[in-house]
């Protein structure tokens, strides 16, 4: 009798133990599963965070970055790359040709796949405003030497190239401007030495030409030195309150002889205005503008200086003439170094082509602006602003 009872107890015990252990196993299993899921979630989060960090890092780069996968499809670009090419669309998965249509770039990508080194290439973009980019390209290989993709880094060289071009143009212009009076001086000196000096009338005329061209060289060198000092920021402004009406009177009295030569009336219509500035530099601004108004104004015309105080703490001055004026297309360019509407006329008048450029530099160094308006046939008006003295 005892054996059946013991067997039943053992069976019940086994069943209980089975369920207890099964429950325990299930709990452990669930725990393990949840731990794994947790780990995967954390892994995913870490990878998302790493990707986000990577994107922030890439977006903070000044250089454009383009990463292609092994099928030459775009895998990643940074913000600078999109800005360089003005791209607003999603680029991932597209090819470079679909996005940029630059055959040169496509050829570079193909070339870099076979050459196991960083390629350096200069790309000139065929746009209205010329742009130059330097591209560094390299293929990316994995540990077993298989190509995983390609990386391209773009540096914008446009500003550098523009500066180089401006410098080259400036050197060419200066050489040309110096050569013209120098060759005239040389030519007349040689003619005098060859015998012309024995004829008093001719020698006097030649010596006057030599004198005029020496003065031109002198003016040119003075203007070049002023420009170079202003551009290099060496000029220290001695800022003080400057009364503009008396300053204009002084300039008028200095320039009375050339004005009288052309029977031009000089009118000072400035109210009592005080600007905050360097008096010697401001004299140069007024003198250059009034001198131009006389040089390019009409015979028996008028040159007027006037101005007003503005609401923004500045004063606005104008210098006006009633000469032939300036064609609309030249208005933006006359402040450039050596730009002249009529080269021969400017040279005849002893111009260096640097006067307005000096005006603009000085005004800008006083935190002001300079511009011109003109209705051809009705004269030109030059404006500039300066800080008002308190
Ligand atoms: P420049 O020494 O030739 O006078 P500027 O820089 O002073 O050089 O002036 C540049 C050009 O702007 C001049 O050559 C001239 O063509 C034009 N210009 C300047 N002022 C006037 C004006 N008041 N009327 C007509 N043209 C002017």
């Amino acid at each position: 009798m005892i054996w059946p009872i013991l067997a039943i107890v053992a069976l019940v015990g086994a069943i209980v133990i089975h369920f207890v252990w099964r429950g325990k196993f299930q709990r452990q299993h669930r725990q393990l599963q949840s731990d794994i899921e947790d780990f995967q979630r954390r892994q995913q989060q870490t990878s998302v965070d790493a990707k986000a960090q990577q994107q922030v890092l890439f977006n903070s780069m000044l250089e454009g970055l383009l990463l292609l996968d092994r099928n030459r499809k775009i895998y990643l670009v940074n913000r600078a790359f999109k800005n360089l090419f003005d791209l607003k669309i999603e680029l991932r998965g597209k090819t470079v040709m679909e996005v940029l249509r630059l055959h040169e770039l496509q050829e570079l990508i193909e070339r870099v796949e076979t050459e196991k080194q960083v390629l350096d290439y200069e790309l000139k973009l065929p746009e209205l405003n010329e742009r130059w980019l330097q591209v560094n390209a390299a293929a990316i290989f994995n540990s077993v030497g298989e190509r995983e993709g390609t990386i391209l880094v773009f540096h914008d060289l446009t500003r550098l190239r523009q500066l180089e071009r401006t410098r080259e143009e400036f050197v060419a212009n200066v050489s040309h401007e110096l050569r013209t009076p120098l060759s005239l001086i040389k030519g007349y000196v040689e003619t005098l030495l060859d015998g012309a000096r024995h004829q008093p009338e001719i020698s006097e005329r030649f010596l006057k030409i030599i004198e005029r061209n020496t003065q031109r060289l002198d003016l040119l060198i003075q203007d070049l030195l002023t420009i170079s000092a202003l551009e290099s920021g060496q000029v220290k402004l001695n800022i003080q309150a400057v009364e503009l009406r008396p300053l204009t009177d002084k300039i008028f009295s200095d320039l009375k002889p050339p004005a009288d030569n052309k029977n031009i009336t000089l009118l000072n219509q400035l109210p009592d205005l005080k600007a905050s500035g360097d008096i010697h530099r401001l004299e140069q601004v007024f003198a250059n503008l009034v001198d131009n108004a006389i040089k390019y104004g009409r015979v028996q015309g008028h040159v007027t200086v006037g101005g007003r105080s503005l609401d923004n703490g500045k004063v606005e001055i104008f210098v006006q003439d009633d000469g032939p004026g300036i064609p609309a297309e030249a208005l933006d360019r006359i402040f450039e170094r050596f730009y002249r509407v009529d080269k021969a006329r400017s040279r005849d008048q002893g111009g260096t082509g640097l006067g307005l450029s000096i005006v603009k530099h000085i005004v800008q160094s006083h935190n002001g602006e300079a511009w011109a308006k003109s209705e051809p046939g009705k004269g030109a008006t030059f404006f500039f602003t300066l800080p008002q003295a308190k």
Side-chain angles (χ1 to χ4, degrees):
M1 191 61 194
I2 187 105
W3 290 113
I5 293 168
L6 276 177
I8 289 166
V9 168
L11 191 67
V12 169
I15 290 169
V16 168
I17 287 168
H18 168 76
F19 278 108
V20 167
W21 275 105
R22 203 172 83 159
K24 203 170 169 184
F25 273 136
Q26 273 177 344
R27 272 201 305 281
Q28 276 179 350
H29 180 69
R30 273 200 299 275
Q31 182 60 44
L32 197 65
Q33 216 166 14
S34 126
D35 283 351
I36 290 170
E37 278 168 9
D38 208 32
F39 178 72
Q40 280 174 336
R41 246 195 322 275
R42 276 206 306 270
Q43 282 283 82
Q44 273 170 0
Q45 188 56 41
T46 315
S47 133
V48 168
D49 286 351
K51 270 199 180 133
Q53 267 177 3
Q54 210 178 42
Q55 197 65 42
V56 169
L57 189 75
F58 289 153
N59 281 343
S60 67
M61 285 170 63
L62 290 178
E63 291 83 10
L65 181 81
L66 168 65
L67 218 59
L68 303 176
D69 64 18
R70 62 169 69 120
N71 301 317
R72 297 185 193 148
K73 296 265 169 65
I74 296 176
Y75 174 72
L76 186 142
V77 297
N78 69 349
R79 196 177 296 147
F81 176 83
K82 283 187 149 188
N83 290 344
L84 267 180
F85 294 97
D86 197 21
L87 296 165
K88 306 238 160 34
I89 47 163
E90 174 59 45
L91 305 177
R92 214 185 150 112
K94 297 199 165 74
T95 64
V96 167
M97 273 311 275
E98 281 171 330
V99 174
L100 296 175
R101 293 184 207 291
L102 289 171
H103 289 276
E104 266 179 284
L105 198 57
Q106 182 62 24
E107 279 165 23
L108 178 69
I109 291 166
E110 286 166 24
R111 191 149 65 90
V112 83
E113 287 171 8
T114 51
E115 294 185 33
K116 290 194 169 180
Q117 54 172 326
V118 179
L119 294 185
D120 193 0
Y121 189 78
E122 206 167 305
L123 191 68
K124 194 168 155 215
L125 295 186
E127 286 176 13
L128 221 55
N129 298 325
E130 277 182 340
R131 285 171 61 209
W132 287 268
L133 300 177
Q134 184 193 19
V135 192
N136 295 128
I140 307 165
F141 295 94
N142 63 17
S143 52
V144 289
E146 290 163 340
R147 193 177 56 79
E148 285 282 327
T150 308
I151 182 166
L152 295 108
V153 181
F154 298 76
H155 313 258
D156 194 347
L157 299 181
T158 312
R159 178 97 191 99
L160 204 68
R161 288 280 175 277
Q162 280 167 347
L163 285 175
E164 272 170 17
R165 186 183 280 182
T166 313
R167 192 187 55 80
E168 280 164 15
E169 277 172 8
F170 183 64
V171 172
N173 275 324
V174 171
S175 319
H176 176 77
E177 295 294 330
L178 290 172
R179 208 178 300 127
T180 317
L182 259 183
S183 55
L184 279 169
I185 293 170
K186 193 165 166 270
Y188 284 104
V189 168
E190 278 168 8
T191 319
L192 282 169
L193 287 173
D194 282 349
R197 67 181 186 282
H198 301 302
Q199 295 166 274
E201 258 178 49
I202 294 184
S203 59
E204 166 129 11
R205 194 158 58 84
F206 284 7
L207 284 170
K208 281 204 169 126
I209 296 174
I210 292 171
E211 188 190 27
R212 210 173 46 241
N213 281 285
T214 321
Q215 279 166 359
R216 205 170 128 195
L217 275 180
D218 189 31
L219 273 180
L220 187 67
I221 288 163
Q222 274 178 34
D223 279 358
L224 282 172
L225 289 175
T226 308
I227 286 261
S228 111
L230 286 166
E231 285 192 347
S232 64
Q234 283 167 12
V235 174
K236 289 262 172 301
L237 296 179
N238 178 15
I239 303 287
Q240 49 180 300
V242 180
E243 301 213 35
L244 299 177
R245 212 181 137 76
L247 181 102
T248 304
D249 283 336
K250 178 182 180 295
I251 301 300
F252 278 2
S253 110
D254 289 350
L255 293 172
K256 196 168 172 332
D260 285 349
N261 274 346
K262 285 177 83 174
N263 252 329
I264 287 176
T265 312
L266 301 174
L267 299 165
N268 185 352
Q269 289 183 353
L270 269 171
D272 283 337
L273 280 181
K274 272 193 220 160
S276 176
D278 181 315
I279 187 153
H280 297 298
R281 294 293 164 191
L282 294 188
E283 261 181 39
Q284 227 169 340
V285 170
F286 279 77
N288 281 0
L289 293 177
V290 174
D291 184 41
N292 275 354
I294 296 170
K295 272 191 324 202
Y296 302 107
R298 72 180 169 87
V299 175
Q300 290 186 331
H302 296 83
V303 171
T304 312
V305 177
R308 63 189 174 122
S309 103
L310 302 176
D311 291 339
N312 59 2
K314 302 225 163 165
V315 290
E316 183 188 271
I317 323 291
F318 70 82
V319 179
Q320 188 173 47
D321 64 70
D322 48 8
I326 301 161
E329 67 278 8
L331 272 178
D332 280 346
R333 302 206 54 197
I334 47 173
F335 290 94
E336 288 171 22
R337 299 181 295 201
F338 296 116
Y339 182 85
R340 291 129 158 165
V341 180
D342 181 343
K343 275 204 170 69
R345 177 139 193 238
S346 157
R347 291 217 182 93
D348 280 353
Q349 308 272 356
T352 60
L354 294 171
L356 288 179
S357 168
I358 292 176
V359 164
K360 192 157 198 151
H361 268 296
I362 296 178
V363 168
Q364 283 176 345
S365 66
H366 283 79
N367 291 324
E369 279 175 80
W371 67 100
K373 282 186 184 166
S374 174
E375 208 179 312
K378 294 195 175 162
T381 310
F382 285 82
F383 296 88
F384 59 97
T385 56
L386 293 171
Q388 186 155 17
K390 303 224 166 56

